[in-house]
């Protein structure tokens, strides 16, 4: 386990190290309750400067851990974090401002306000798939809200974790932001502590563990989970555009299927050439364990009758798996039951949109649902008759990048939202403050004389 201090990472720390950092942050969190927008923005600017100064180190780290090329690191790791930092800094003063709310009829003569106060000490547990983005993005929200934070990045991306550790050490004192590296045992130690808020990104299975641990301390949580995120492509869609946009397993109208398959093959060839193994832009699976998991999912699908219409090649030594398209996929195969996190695309044909909607509603609510169509009635039917954390129409994924939209799941795919104002609120407590001015509340107090009873009756009739 590593713990980051303001000076350097320290190796081999014990549970007492976590406890001491947590105790220091508890004290600091009290002081930060009165921190100004200017003070928080200054921290965000320091984080931005440090991030940009380490671009080359981040490029090398994501390449080593994930095989991710620098342009993709810019798009999926750096740009989202920079956007979060800059958007928060631009709007923070307004977000922090105490809000006035109108009195209700029963409380005429009072003044009502909502104050945004930091929840306190936060824990941010991030996954391996976007290790920089999903660690520092929530951190920007926590800083904006005035919270302290302990970060726990994934042990599966050690090079990225090392860069994050050095960055945090250079920018923050440990009583404000600290980072612990290590395996699930470190996460278990952290989850035993009474944090004021936990922000977790990962699988639904681990999300349940996090929520159970949080419940012991009645800690609030933001859970960004996952599940199967369906895409629907109907016969009116621009199949070339859909093929270029789609990343995960989807439903294709039967009449659109042949054209979509050809467009999908062309899109893959355009991005990665005839042999993706030779492309400098094609990522690798994070480690051998996950490679084996994805290979098992693919083998299970083909064993149950799926047709490999493109790809299927795999090389465990390089953690390489070719972009793979599957048709004739059995609904009970693993590829339709588990999150894939790999380059395998199951494609199901449909003739009746009602069948697709029924299938989606029979499964846990997804983190995202995408629909490609030019038929506005069909689009509205999908959106109104299903439930998902978020949706895109004629595009995929990019709702994540919209700073004015909430990003999050629903039920099995997550609890709560992040990004922009929604991230600020995730780490804030909305405190209600009601101030007496000239209200009639005292006139309704005991003793309940005939006059008071009459006043109560009039209040119930005319002022509620």
């Amino acid at each position: 386990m590593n713990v980051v201090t303001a000076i350097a990472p320290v190796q081999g720390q014990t549970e007492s190290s976590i406890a001491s950092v947590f105790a220091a942050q508890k004290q600091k969190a009290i002081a930060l309750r009165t921190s100004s927008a200017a003070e928080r923005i200054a921290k965000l600017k320091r984080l931005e400067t440090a991030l940009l100064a380490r671009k080359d180190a981040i490029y090398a780290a994501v390449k080593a851990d994930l095989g991710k090329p620098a342009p993709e690191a810019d798009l999926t790791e750096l740009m989202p974090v920079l956007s979060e930092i800059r958007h928060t800094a631009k709007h923070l003063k307004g977000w922090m401002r105490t809000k006035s709310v109108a009195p209700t009829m029963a409380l005429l003569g009072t003044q009502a306000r909502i104050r945004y106060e930091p929840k306190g000490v936060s824990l941010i547990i991030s996954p391996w798939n976007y290790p920089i983005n999903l660690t520092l993005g929530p951190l920007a929200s926590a800083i904006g809200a005035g919270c302290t934070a302990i970060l726990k990045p994934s042990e599966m991306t050690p090079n990225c974790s090392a860069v994050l550790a050095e960055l945090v050490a250079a920018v923050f004192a440990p009583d404000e932001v600290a980072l612990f590296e290590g395996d699930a045992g470190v996460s278990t130690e952290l989850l035993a502590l009474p944090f004021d808020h936990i922000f977790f990104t990962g699988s639904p299975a681990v999300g349940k563990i996090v929520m159970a641990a949080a419940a012991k301390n009645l800690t609030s949580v933001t859970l960004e989970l996952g599940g199967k995120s369906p895409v629907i492509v109907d016969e009116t869609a621009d199949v070339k555009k859909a093929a270029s946009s789609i990343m995960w397993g989807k439903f294709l109208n039967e009449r659109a299927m042949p054209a979509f398959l050809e467009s999908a093959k062309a899109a893959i060839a355009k991005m990665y050439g005839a042999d993706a193994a030779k492309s400098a832009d094609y990522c690798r699976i994070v480690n051998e364990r996950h490679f084996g998991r994805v290979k098992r999912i693919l083998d299970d699908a083909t064993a149950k009758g799926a047709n490999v219409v493109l790809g299927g090649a795999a090389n465990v030594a390089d953690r390489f798996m070719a972009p793979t398209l599957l048709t004739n996929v059995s609904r009970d195969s693993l590829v339709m039951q588990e999150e894939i996190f790999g380059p395998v695309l199951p494609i199901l044909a449909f003739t009746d949109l009602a069948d697709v909607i029924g299938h989606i509603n029979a499964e846990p609510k997804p983190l995202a649902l995408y629909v490609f169509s030019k038929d506005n009635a069909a689009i509205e039917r999908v959106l109104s008759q299903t439930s998902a954390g978020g949706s895109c129409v004629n595009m995929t994924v990019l709702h994540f990048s919209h700073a004015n939209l909430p990003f999050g799941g629903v039920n099995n795919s997550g609890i709560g939202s992040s990004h922009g104002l929604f991230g600020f609120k995730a780490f804030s407590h909305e405190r209600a403050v009601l101030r007496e001015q000239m209200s009639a509340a005292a006139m309704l107090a005991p003793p309940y004389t005939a006059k008071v009873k009459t006043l109560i009756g009039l209040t119930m009739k005319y002022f509620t």
Side-chain angles (χ1 to χ4, degrees):
M1 183 204 324
N2 305 330
V3 55
V4 172
T5 71
I7 301 173
V10 179
Q11 304 290 331
Q13 297 295 310
T14 63
E15 186 175 348
S16 62
S17 300
I18 293 176
S20 63
V21 170
F22 179 82
Q25 289 204 6
K26 288 291 283 187
Q27 291 301 311
K28 186 67 173 181
I30 294 173
L32 289 179
R33 288 175 184 168
T34 56
S35 59
S36 67
E39 290 170 327
R40 299 178 192 182
I41 290 169
K43 294 177 192 176
L44 290 169
K45 294 296 185 183
R46 294 205 312 270
L47 177 60
E48 177 183 356
T49 299
L51 183 65
L52 291 172
R54 289 160 178 79
K55 283 176 63 176
D56 289 341
I58 289 170
Y59 294 154
V62 296
K63 184 67 175 179
D65 286 338
L66 298 163
K68 186 178 291 189
E72 191 167 329
D74 282 336
L75 289 170
T76 65
E77 302 286 0
L78 293 174
M79 282 179 56
V81 177
L82 292 171
S83 174
E84 194 71 53
I85 290 171
R86 292 165 182 170
H87 185 78
T88 300
K90 180 179 179 180
H91 296 282
L92 184 59
K93 189 173 182 179
W95 295 347
M96 290 175 63
R97 190 176 295 122
T98 297
K99 305 295 191 297
S100 297
V101 295
T104 62
M105 289 291 290
L107 289 170
L108 289 173
T110 64
Q111 181 190 75
R113 299 284 189 269
I114 300 172
R115 299 171 62 99
Y116 292 93
E117 59 185 36
K119 285 186 175 178
V121 185
S122 60
L123 172 63
I124 298 171
I125 302 178
S126 55
W128 55 264
N129 54 337
Y130 297 101
I132 307 299
N133 177 355
L134 298 179
T135 303
L136 298 184
L139 176 61
S141 296
I143 292 170
C147 294
T148 65
I150 291 179
L151 312 179
K152 170 57 179 72
S154 172
E155 69 275 15
M156 296 184 192
T157 48
N159 294 285
C160 291
S161 293
V163 173
L164 288 168
E166 189 277 328
L167 184 154
V168 168
V171 178
F172 302 104
D175 65 348
E176 289 198 45
V177 181
L179 185 149
F180 287 87
E181 297 179 76
D183 59 14
V186 176
S187 297
T188 300
E189 291 180 17
L190 288 166
L191 288 169
L193 295 170
F195 282 91
D196 297 302
H197 189 71
I198 297 173
F199 191 110
F200 170 79
T201 306
S203 70
V206 180
K208 293 175 183 178
I209 296 172
V210 171
M211 194 169 183
K216 294 179 180 178
N217 295 302
L218 295 179
T219 297
S220 62
V221 295
T222 302
L223 304 178
E224 290 194 358
L225 308 178
K228 308 298 289 182
S229 292
V231 170
I232 301 168
V233 181
D234 75 9
E235 69 274 18
T236 71
D238 182 334
V239 292
K240 288 185 178 180
K241 181 178 180 180
S244 296
S245 299
I246 289 172
M247 302 288 286
W248 294 284
K250 317 310 161 203
F251 296 93
L252 273 294
N253 183 274
E254 273 190 4
R255 283 182 284 178
M257 176 75 86
F260 176 86
L261 289 175
E262 292 307 310
S263 296
K265 293 175 183 178
I268 291 169
K270 181 178 179 180
M271 288 187 288
Y272 305 118
D275 184 358
K278 298 177 181 178
S279 172
D281 297 327
Y282 191 70
C283 297
R284 298 299 187 265
I285 296 174
V286 65
N287 57 29
E288 288 189 12
R289 180 170 71 83
H290 277 280
F291 177 91
R293 180 187 57 78
V294 178
K295 185 66 165 61
R296 174 176 57 85
I297 288 173
L298 176 58
D299 291 345
D300 173 78
T302 55
K304 292 177 179 176
N307 297 324
V308 178
V309 297
L310 181 74
N315 179 0
V316 65
D318 190 34
R319 308 194 314 277
F320 167 81
M321 183 170 289
T324 301
L325 303 178
L326 301 177
T327 60
N328 194 40
V329 180
S330 171
R331 294 284 179 88
D332 66 353
S333 59
L334 294 177
V335 77
M336 294 302 299
Q337 302 298 322
E338 298 182 7
E339 286 189 277
I340 301 171
F341 282 116
V344 179
L345 174 68
I347 305 169
L348 288 77
F350 74 89
T351 56
D352 187 348
L353 185 58
D355 292 339
V356 178
I357 292 172
H359 176 77
I360 292 170
N361 287 335
E363 301 295 328
K365 297 173 184 176
L367 180 62
L369 186 154
Y370 309 115
V371 56
F372 285 80
S373 176
K374 296 177 182 178
D375 184 340
N376 288 328
I379 293 168
E380 178 57 30
R381 184 180 176 191
V382 170
L383 295 177
S384 63
Q385 294 182 16
T386 62
S387 178
S391 288
C392 292
V393 177
N394 295 323
M395 60 173 57
T396 62
V397 181
L398 290 178
H399 65 303
F400 178 91
S401 302
H402 199 304
N404 290 321
L405 285 176
F407 182 84
V410 55
N411 298 131
N412 194 70
S413 57
I415 294 173
S417 299
S418 62
H419 298 179
L421 173 62
F422 307 96
F424 170 81
K425 287 187 173 183
F427 288 92
S428 300
H429 169 61
E430 294 177 280
R431 183 174 183 173
V433 179
L434 188 66
R435 182 176 297 223
E436 161 69 16
Q437 290 184 319
M438 295 182 297
S439 78
M443 298 173 64
L444 307 179
Y448 295 123
T449 62
K451 179 181 178 180
V452 172
K453 291 178 182 178
T454 298
L455 288 172
I456 291 174
L458 292 171
T459 300
M460 290 178 63
K461 184 174 183 179
Y462 295 107
F463 294 96
T464 56

